[in-house]
Amino acid sequence: MASQQPTSASSLGAKRQRQQAARLRPQLPRRPSPVHLPLLLLLPLLLPSPHPRHVARADLLRYYGNISYPLDEQLSYCDTLGPLYDGIGVDLALWNTSGGGGSSSAGGGGGGESNGESGGEGGSSGGGITEEALQLAIDKYTTKGSQKGVALAFYGGVPYIIDHEPRLSGLGHHVNILFTYMLVMLDLQRQYGSSSSSHNGSSSSSSSSSDGSSGGRSLIPDVEFVLASSDKPLVLRADHPPGRVPPVMRFCSSDEHADIKIPIFHFYTKKYTQNYLANAPKLAAAYPWEAKKPVVFGRFSKYYRHIHPAAASTLKRGARNSSICRQESAFTLTCPVRAHFMEWAARGRHADVLDVKSGPRVSLAKHAAYKYLLHLDGQALSSRLEQLMPLGSLIFKEDSGYKTFYYHLMRPYEHYVPVWKAGGGPEDVLEALQWAESHDQEARRMAAAAQQVALTYLSKRARSCYWLRLLQAYASLQSYTPVRGGRGSYLVPVSEYLEDVGRSWERGKQLHKIEY
């Protein structure tokens, strides 16, 4: 075993000098080990971004496009669509106890710099859209109340999700519907939102003041609302006392319901302007009126209709005044409306003039080959009517009692022939057919008039005007001033929500491109 050599005092002193020199020497950065390089590359993704998180990435635009119009040109165009807005005042009359507000704002010139204060007088007398009514709508008709809806707001022209994080589990395809409406809100922001927002739909945090006011820079007022996606109207007028009716926007309503009508999501997911309106001239050339088959035609899924017994305008009777509805609960009648019509048509001796079945499937474009097209609503309101209108055929429309945002423009015997009218059965379609066959030129004019309604009022650009006027009219009836951050603990810009949740929920399968 080797013996240890004693350390001399001189060698210890030299060692201390080297250690002290090393401490005083400037430290140079060590070269990273190859093992650490992947972690260093991930570091920028883990650190907070220096930019505001609610600025939408440019590629989010691929879901809602980048088409916008010069603002003055767009507002002038909106002014030409006056009749389209007549239904807004009717929908909001329940909250408009002053007799102004809703209809005047909806029908005005589109300046719309209201921030909600104009509804104050109505609120002091128990009218207007109160905070209590809005909170009731949030608590009962959004995912917070286990319904298919979301609480939204515009502050400074920027759309936000408010009050609570939407609970998407269990909503199925309605997640896609809610995402679609969120994309529509981003599209409205781009066209009408804050002047400090860029035209790619993003918005910086400086686009509104600290209290959320728009400062007069946005045509979309500061407004808070609930948007629901369920297939039938739910807000019965009779269930709520004056001043407590929850304001809920939905694509369908009825005389007994208070749901505020908006365009159905199918306009956007089916790309209505490109796929239907733009094809009208081509289909007219392919299927001229004289060459159309004189048959009542329709293809339908056998949806059951769910009706509230208190909604008298939507109740249905069957052939020979038979009862076709089953009482499921005190709140629901289940009615196989479409199936009953198809079974009745199959039993009769009218196969040569009634071709109404569940299959085989026929494309909407090929529906144009038939002179008479049947429209039957589904679970509640169906989007089929607006798909039939551009085809240039006469529409036999079921009198179902359900309505959407443009139905006031469609008048019986001017734009369509009503069938299966209230209190009756499907047999009256034969009377309608007999009339149409003996009044061919009048039938042709009706078909052309319905097509013109679609071409004039149902394009994406026209619907954009409708949304603007609706939000302006709604905001004018708020009996309080919305404040950003004042509605619950949840406040997330729609752009950020779709970036984070929309892209990740079910691996982004529910976030689809909409009509540009």
Side-chain angles (χ1 to χ4, degrees):
M1 182 173 180
S3 60
Q4 294 183 346
Q5 296 295 327
T7 304
S8 67
S10 60
S11 63
L12 285 175
K15 183 177 182 180
R16 290 192 189 98
Q17 289 176 354
R18 289 194 301 269
Q19 290 174 341
Q20 185 176 13
R23 284 194 298 269
L24 295 176
R25 190 163 52 242
Q27 297 296 309
L28 299 175
R30 297 176 59 188
R31 295 182 64 182
S33 166
V35 177
H36 295 148
L37 282 175
L39 295 177
L40 293 175
L41 294 174
L42 287 173
L43 192 59
L45 300 177
L46 301 175
L47 293 175
S49 169
H51 304 290
R53 292 202 62 202
H54 64 270
V55 176
R57 292 206 307 264
D59 57 346
L60 188 62
L61 275 173
R62 75 186 185 92
Y63 293 101
Y64 66 101
N66 58 5
I67 296 176
S68 59
Y69 300 91
L71 190 55
D72 290 344
E73 176 185 320
Q74 175 67 5
L75 295 179
S76 295
Y77 168 75
C78 291
D79 287 343
T80 68
L81 304 176
L84 178 61
Y85 316 128
D86 291 344
I88 295 176
V90 176
D91 277 2
L92 297 179
L94 200 59
W95 296 274
N96 185 15
T97 56
S98 66
S103 59
S104 62
S105 182
E113 295 181 1
S114 165
N115 62 3
E117 295 179 353
S118 60
E121 292 184 5
S124 63
S125 61
I129 297 171
T130 65
E131 287 191 89
E132 294 77 15
L134 175 66
Q135 194 60 50
L136 177 61
I138 294 173
D139 294 342
K140 190 172 182 179
Y141 294 105
T142 68
T143 60
K144 190 176 186 179
S146 300
Q147 290 290 337
K148 304 175 182 74
V150 63
L152 297 170
F154 275 91
Y155 303 121
V158 178
Y160 291 82
I161 300 173
I162 59 172
D163 188 82
H164 66 282
E165 182 175 1
R167 301 163 185 169
L168 303 182
S169 297
L171 294 186
H173 72 280
H174 283 267
V175 174
N176 168 249
I177 298 173
L178 294 176
F179 285 175
T180 294
Y181 279 125
M182 292 179 194
L183 290 170
V184 173
M185 298 302 109
L186 290 179
D187 194 49
L188 294 174
Q189 173 192 349
R190 178 185 54 212
Q191 181 65 64
Y192 307 111
S194 173
S195 59
S196 63
S197 299
S198 68
H199 274 276
N200 68 1
S202 63
S203 161
S204 71
S205 58
S206 64
S207 64
S208 59
S209 59
S210 59
D211 65 352
S213 63
S214 62
R217 293 179 295 175
S218 170
L219 289 173
I220 303 176
D222 292 346
V223 60
E224 299 171 337
F225 56 98
V226 166
L227 194 152
S229 66
S230 58
D231 297 319
K232 61 180 181 179
L234 294 178
V235 186
L236 279 170
R237 295 168 182 257
D239 284 353
H240 305 281
R244 290 278 295 168
V245 180
V248 178
M249 296 184 185
R250 198 187 310 271
F251 63 81
C252 63
S253 191
S254 77
D255 288 344
E256 294 80 16
H257 288 91
D259 302 72
I260 301 166
K261 299 187 290 291
I262 58 175
I264 193 170
F265 56 92
H266 279 152
F267 277 114
Y268 304 94
T269 57
K270 292 180 180 292
K271 302 172 178 61
Y272 180 78
T273 303
Q274 305 100 298
N275 294 339
Y276 295 90
L277 298 184
N279 285 330
K282 181 173 67 175
L283 292 175
Y287 304 105
W289 180 262
E290 296 81 4
K292 290 176 182 283
K293 300 175 186 178
V295 173
V296 178
F297 183 84
R299 289 291 183 268
F300 300 99
S301 300
K302 293 184 179 181
Y303 288 130
Y304 278 72
R305 189 171 303 172
H306 305 290
I307 298 173
H308 197 291
S313 67
T314 66
L315 299 179
K316 299 300 292 184
R317 302 292 296 178
R320 298 181 180 179
N321 200 33
S322 60
S323 175
I324 63 171
C325 298
R326 183 176 67 250
Q327 185 94 33
E328 298 287 352
S329 70
F331 310 105
T332 305
L333 293 170
T334 300
C335 311
V337 176
R338 288 178 169 178
H340 181 77
F341 191 103
M342 288 185 274
E343 291 166 5
W344 167 79
R347 286 197 307 266
R349 298 184 298 273
H350 313 291
D352 57 331
V353 293
L354 294 180
D355 186 359
V356 181
K357 305 171 185 176
S358 60
R361 187 181 181 89
V362 176
S363 70
L364 258 296
K366 291 184 178 179
H367 279 53
Y370 298 88
K371 187 173 284 190
Y372 313 115
L373 297 177
L374 179 65
H375 171 72
L376 298 174
D377 277 319
Q379 297 179 50
L381 180 123
S382 168
S383 64
R384 179 68 61 87
L385 181 62
E386 51 263 25
Q387 297 168 30
L388 299 179
M389 289 163 63
L391 302 182
S393 300
L394 178 62
I395 297 171
F396 291 172
K397 178 186 176 299
E398 178 205 355
D399 186 6
S400 69
Y402 292 110
K403 305 175 181 180
T404 192
F405 78 105
Y406 70 89
Y407 271 23
H408 63 283
L409 299 170
M410 297 287 287
R411 291 179 286 276
Y413 303 107
E414 183 177 340
H415 300 92
Y416 66 92
V417 177
V419 297
W420 205 340
K421 296 184 285 293
E427 299 97 332
D428 62 4
V429 72
L430 297 175
E431 300 172 12
L433 175 60
Q434 185 179 16
W435 177 90
E437 289 178 330
S438 60
H439 297 79
D440 189 67
Q441 288 307 307
E442 290 182 52
R444 184 175 188 173
R445 283 194 293 270
M446 279 189 202
Q451 184 186 67
Q452 193 58 51
V453 168
L455 294 172
T456 303
Y457 297 107
L458 300 187
S459 67
K460 177 182 180 291
R461 191 178 183 188
R463 282 179 271 120
S464 171
C465 294
Y466 181 88
W467 278 106
L468 175 65
R469 298 298 180 89
L470 173 61
L471 293 173
Q472 290 174 344
Y474 179 104
S476 74
L477 295 176
Q478 293 174 129
S479 63
Y480 65 98
T481 301
V483 176
R484 185 174 60 179
R487 179 69 54 192
S489 59
Y490 191 81
L491 179 69
V492 175
V494 166
S495 59
E496 178 183 324
Y497 182 83
L498 290 179
E499 288 284 3
D500 295 345
V501 179
R503 290 179 181 276
S504 61
W505 186 262
E506 296 182 359
R507 298 183 179 179
K509 292 180 181 178
Q510 299 292 355
L511 186 60
H512 300 161
K513 292 181 181 180
I514 66 170
E515 181 177 41
Y516 288 179

